[in-house]
Amino acid sequence: MGQEIENKLEKVKIGGSYTGGNSTVNIYYNQQPEDGSKRNNDSRTIFLSYNWHDKEHADRIDKHLSGFPGITVKRDIRDIGPWKSIRKFMESIRQQDYAVLIVSDLYLKSKNCMFEVMEIMKEQQYRDRIFPAIVEHGIYDPLVRAEYIKYWQQECDKLEASIRELEPEYTSELVAELKKYKSIAFSIGEFLNIVADMNNPDIQKVEVQIEKAILKN
């Protein structure tokens, strides 16, 4: 919506682009809708998924991407309030436009990190929504990928053995956890195959490539 004002000043820039004398100038404001909601067709949200041992990489990526207007980085240290649900935050990965996954050895062995991976894998075409930042380069070797599958199979076996030692009426929550472990064991091979097939940028420069990919879309 334009608003006309009279420019009575000589050689004064208006809006950073106009210089002149007595003229009518249109000033355009980026007005928000009356309902108070934001109007920004260029806004993007990014979920940052990482193991805390990879905090240095996470900090660098977070700082770089958060510096661009229209990009909001969702991260646990900011977006989980005191006594709020960690699981609900992890589940919110599906609601974001993109997810940056800092894939390290400890990431692939973390229940919470892999839970976030399992959530984003529920989305159709999830491959187009993830930006893997590779720390563990062993994933390009099928023998190493097999070891991660074996790791989660063993975790399933250990938890299942512990559950068998308990009375069934006390194990409902543990059985639910076991289902999640089995889901990870079942799906991690697919996830690693997809990530290993991607032309992943160097971890030290990945934030720049993520920026380019997001701003291009």
Side-chain angles (χ1 to χ4, degrees):
M1 179 177 182
Q3 176 182 348
E4 293 188 347
I5 64 172
E6 288 290 324
N7 175 21
K8 297 296 185 180
L9 302 176
E10 295 289 341
K11 300 186 182 305
V12 174
K13 290 185 178 181
I14 296 180
S17 60
Y18 176 81
T19 302
N22 296 335
S23 304
T24 299
V25 181
N26 286 326
I27 303 296
Y28 289 87
Y29 298 97
N30 184 20
Q31 293 185 331
Q32 299 296 337
E34 293 181 359
D35 62 5
S37 62
K38 293 183 179 180
R39 181 192 297 159
N40 187 351
N41 294 330
D42 296 327
S43 63
R44 298 288 187 273
T45 56
I46 304 172
F47 189 103
L48 186 54
S49 177
Y50 67 105
N51 184 282
W52 280 9
H53 288 84
D54 301 309
K55 182 178 179 296
E56 181 178 344
H57 294 304
D59 288 345
R60 191 185 72 250
I61 294 170
D62 185 7
K63 181 179 179 181
H64 182 89
L65 295 177
S66 296
F68 289 88
I71 293 180
T72 301
V73 178
K74 300 291 185 178
R75 186 175 177 184
D76 53 358
I77 60 174
R78 284 192 299 271
D79 294 294
I80 304 178
W83 298 284
K84 297 299 181 181
S85 171
I86 297 172
R87 185 166 302 281
K88 285 186 177 180
F89 170 76
M90 293 191 296
E91 289 172 345
S92 74
I93 191 172
R94 298 181 65 186
Q95 302 166 13
Q96 314 313 323
D97 296 302
Y98 301 101
V100 174
L101 317 175
I102 302 181
V103 182
S104 64
D105 176 66
L106 290 174
Y107 182 90
L108 295 171
K109 293 178 179 177
S110 164
K111 180 190 71 172
N112 284 349
C113 294
M114 294 310 299
F115 178 81
E116 291 170 355
V117 170
M118 296 304 105
E119 284 296 297
I120 194 66
M121 287 181 71
K122 293 176 182 177
E123 296 295 310
Q124 292 186 350
Q125 305 299 322
Y126 74 89
R127 186 187 190 282
D128 298 329
R129 293 175 56 185
I130 61 173
F131 295 110
I134 307 302
V135 177
E136 176 49 70
H137 289 88
I139 64 167
Y140 298 111
D141 184 339
L143 293 176
V144 174
R145 297 201 296 272
E147 287 299 316
Y148 285 111
I149 297 173
K150 186 187 300 183
Y151 171 84
W152 282 104
Q153 287 179 339
Q154 292 171 346
E155 291 297 295
C156 289
D157 292 343
K158 287 190 289 185
L159 181 55
E160 192 165 17
S162 294
I163 291 173
R164 288 199 190 104
E165 296 174 358
L166 302 172
E167 296 295 331
E169 59 265 31
Y170 304 134
T171 62
S172 59
E173 293 300 324
L174 290 175
V175 170
E177 284 293 304
L178 179 60
K179 289 180 180 179
K180 291 169 188 169
Y181 275 49
K182 289 185 175 182
S183 176
I184 294 171
F186 180 80
S187 301
I188 190 172
E190 174 191 337
F191 169 69
L192 289 175
N193 283 340
I194 285 177
V195 171
D197 182 57
M198 300 173 78
N199 182 22
N200 299 298
D202 184 278
I203 184 65
Q204 299 300 333
K205 302 175 182 177
V206 69
E207 66 272 19
V208 176
Q209 298 303 319
I210 295 171
E211 166 211 331
K212 290 179 179 178
I214 290 175
L215 296 181
K216 184 174 70 173
N217 293 337

